């Protein structure tokens, strides 16, 4: 057994990129395997076709729309496709790339599908060629940009009475255009909130979707409203998520017995501009991802919420951002603000949109990490109001509705807090040191 451990540790250190890719591959395969364990091949086939041809704006729970097997097959295919693209284009496995892959797979349970993501990929690819830059540099943006997959599907619905070629071309043109302008727009939006919103791509896709939907409305088209929300698989999905996150934690400790030190450094980090993989390595990052996932899974169970396509997808997304800024300390502050809002506002924690807002308020983690408990709670409190109203701007055709909201809240608070002389957490909390290589376990 010790020889096996030594071989795995040696392989991981010498081939970190390949090892990380294989972990992502196993995650994608676990999604597909779970789907086939939960449904028959015939039901999965018919459900998969339904996912491909249906409108999919928020909230479209693919489990309710097409069945649990088809939903997880779609999520697994999107995840594995992202992994293969990262390998082919030699994109380094940074924390942000891991976050983008987990978010792509997670949101493929409720809005993205293996069909509507390709025009956006192509648009970002063409932008990289236009700028003379490697596609791998922008690959995480391509994955995040698939939040506009419902917009691509919606355009296909608009042209449903036309020849299939025209329908496909119209949807492709819109998707390519969205992907092409996403990198420059996201560069601008990052400056707008100064990095206090982890879901910067969600802010950018929200702006893009607002413009495109406004154009559609000006021609008299009203986007299709969708609401699918399943509740019958909560226990089974909880079991899958708990097993997945426990495996991440156990494997992280197995790979590096000193990884608990990495976790200590991670919890001292504000989350702003974080790349836990690049700074500390993968074992400690896996543990942080597992803990984040377990925390939110048990949170939903504790409040009596539903674990379904949307909520499970959001939990997977947050776990992915456990590699790029989210930790238990900076997350808890914001969640408390949303929970407090449930006592004084006109909604309940178990409302579908609110369940998603609690899970994805974590985009404000850097703000809470830098300014502490009170301002973290304030940002969560404000977010819980903003997120329930901004979706009308783009008729819920931007899947990262919370990302757009956290961008607005961060942009609103970022210039105010220094003026108010808000106390900042000690700088050692914001910039965690790199653990010396000599501390790694053999």
């Amino acid at each position: 057994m010790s020889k096996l451990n030594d071989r795995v540790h040696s392989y991981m250190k010498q081939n970190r990129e390949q090892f990380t890719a294989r972990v992502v591959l196993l995650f994608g395969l676990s999604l597909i395997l779970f789907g086939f364990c939960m449904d028959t091949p015939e039901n999965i086939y018919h459900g998969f076709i339904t996912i491909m041809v249906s409108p999919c704006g928020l909230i479209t729970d693919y489990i309710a729309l097409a069945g649990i097997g088809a939903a997880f097959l779609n999520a697994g295919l999107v995840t594995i496709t992202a992994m293969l693209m990262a390998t082919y284009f030699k994109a380094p496995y940074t924390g942000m790339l891991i976050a983008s892959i987990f978010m792509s797979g997670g949101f493929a349970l409720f809005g993205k599908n293996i069909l509507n993501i390709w025009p956006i990929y192509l648009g970002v690819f063409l932008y990289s060629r236009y700028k003379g830059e490697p596609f791998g540099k922008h690959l995480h943006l391509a994955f995040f940009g698939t939040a506009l997959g419902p917009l691509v599907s919606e355009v296909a619905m608009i042209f449903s009475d036309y020849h299939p070629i025209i329908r496909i071309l119209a949807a492709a043109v819109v998707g390519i255009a969205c992907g092409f302008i996403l990198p420059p727009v996201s560069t601008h939006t990052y400056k707008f909130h100064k990095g206090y919103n982890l879901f910067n791509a969600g802010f950018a896709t929200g702006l893009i979707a607002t413009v495109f939907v406004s154009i559609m409305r000006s021609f008299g088209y009203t986007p299709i409203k969708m609401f699918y929300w399943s509740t019958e698989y909560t226990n089974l999905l909880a079991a899958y998520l708990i097993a997945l996150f426990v495996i991440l934690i156990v494997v992280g400790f197995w790979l590096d017995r000193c990884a608990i030190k990495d976790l200590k450094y991670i919890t001292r980090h504000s989350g702003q501009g974080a790349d836990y993989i690049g700074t500390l390595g993968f074992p400690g990052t896996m543990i942080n991802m597992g803990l984040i996932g377990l925390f939110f899974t048990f949170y939903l169970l504790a409040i009596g919420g539903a674990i379904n396509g949307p909520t499970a997808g959001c939990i997977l997304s947050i776990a992915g951002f456990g590699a790029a800024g989210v930790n238990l300390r900076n997350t808890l502050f914001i969640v408390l603000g949303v929970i407090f809002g449930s006592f004084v506002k006109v909604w309940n924690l178990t409302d579908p949109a609110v369940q998603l807002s609690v899970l994805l308020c974590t985009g404000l983690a850097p703000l809470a990490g830098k300014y502490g408990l009170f301002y973290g709670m304030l940002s969560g409190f404000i977010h819980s109001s903003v997120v329930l109203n901004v979706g009308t701007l783009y008729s819920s055709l931007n899947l990262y509705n919370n990302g757009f909201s956290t961008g607005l809240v961060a942009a609103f608070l970022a210039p105010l807090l220094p003026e108010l002389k808000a106390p900042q957490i000690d700088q050692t909390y914001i910039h965690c040191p790199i653990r010396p290589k000599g501390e790694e376990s053999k």
Side-chain angles (χ1 to χ4, degrees), residues 25-349:
L25 174 62
L26 290 174
F27 165 57
L29 290 175
S30 76
L31 291 168
I32 296 175
L33 179 62
F34 180 77
F36 275 96
C37 289
M38 297 301 298
D39 210 342
T40 65
E42 182 179 3
N43 288 340
I44 290 174
Y45 170 76
H46 291 295
F48 189 70
I49 297 299
T50 299
I51 289 173
M52 296 303 106
V53 300
S54 300
C56 49
L58 286 175
I59 303 174
T60 306
D61 181 354
Y62 282 158
I63 294 176
L65 174 69
I68 188 170
F72 271 79
L73 173 62
N74 181 63
L77 290 176
V78 170
T79 301
I80 293 173
T81 298
M83 184 279 298
L84 293 174
M85 290 179 66
T87 301
Y88 182 81
F89 290 104
K90 296 181 174 58
Y93 274 93
T94 62
M96 194 56 71
L97 183 65
I98 288 292
S100 67
I101 293 175
F102 269 71
M103 182 165 268
S104 292
F107 274 75
L109 291 171
F110 68 112
K112 301 179 183 181
N113 63 58
I114 197 63
L115 188 61
N116 65 22
I117 59 177
W118 289 104
I120 298 164
Y121 287 167
L122 181 56
V124 179
F125 174 80
L126 292 176
Y127 175 82
S128 69
R129 288 294 179 264
Y130 173 76
K131 297 292 291 185
E133 299 172 342
F135 184 39
K137 176 182 176 181
H138 302 286
L139 195 58
H140 67 286
L141 278 177
F143 297 155
F144 283 134
T146 52
L148 294 171
L151 178 61
V152 175
S153 296
E154 193 74 23
V155 173
M157 295 297 112
I158 294 175
F159 288 86
S160 59
D161 294 333
Y162 292 80
H163 192 278
I165 294 179
I166 296 177
R167 183 180 182 182
I168 293 171
L169 285 176
V173 167
V174 170
I176 291 170
C178 290
F180 190 87
I181 64 177
L182 176 61
V185 172
S186 64
T187 299
H188 176 74
T189 54
Y190 187 87
K191 297 175 182 178
F192 193 48
H193 57 71
K194 300 181 179 179
Y196 289 115
N197 172 31
L198 289 177
F199 305 151
N200 178 57
F203 194 18
T205 55
L207 291 177
I208 294 171
T210 298
V211 172
F212 275 86
V213 171
S214 296
I215 294 172
M216 291 161 59
R217 286 173 173 165
S218 69
F219 283 93
Y221 180 78
T222 301
I224 302 169
K225 292 184 178 181
M226 304 293 292
F227 184 79
Y228 287 88
W229 186 264
S230 64
T231 58
E232 64 270 29
Y233 294 106
T234 292
N235 292 334
L236 287 170
L237 291 173
Y240 168 79
L241 292 174
I242 291 170
L244 173 67
F245 298 134
V246 167
I247 289 172
L248 284 176
I249 295 170
V250 171
V251 172
F253 276 117
W254 178 59
L255 292 173
D256 188 351
R257 293 185 295 274
C258 295
I260 192 67
K261 296 182 180 179
D262 293 343
L263 192 62
K264 179 183 70 174
Y265 294 142
I266 287 173
T267 56
R268 292 168 55 194
H269 199 292
S270 72
Q272 187 177 15
D275 177 6
Y276 297 145
I277 293 178
T279 304
L280 298 167
F282 202 39
T285 302
M286 291 174 69
I287 296 171
N288 186 55
M289 292 169 64
L291 290 175
I292 292 293
L294 287 177
F295 173 80
F296 282 101
T297 301
F298 285 119
Y299 164 80
L300 283 180
L301 293 175
I303 67 168
I307 300 183
N308 51 27
T311 55
C314 289
I315 291 172
L316 291 172
S317 300
I318 307 164
F321 271 91
V326 172
N327 60 62
L328 288 177
R329 188 173 182 178
N330 62 17
T331 297
L332 182 62
F333 299 160
I334 313 162
V335 171
L336 289 175
V338 179
I339 293 175
F340 176 73
S342 69
F343 295 106
V344 297
K345 297 181 182 179
V346 295
W347 43 258
N348 299 310
L349 284 175

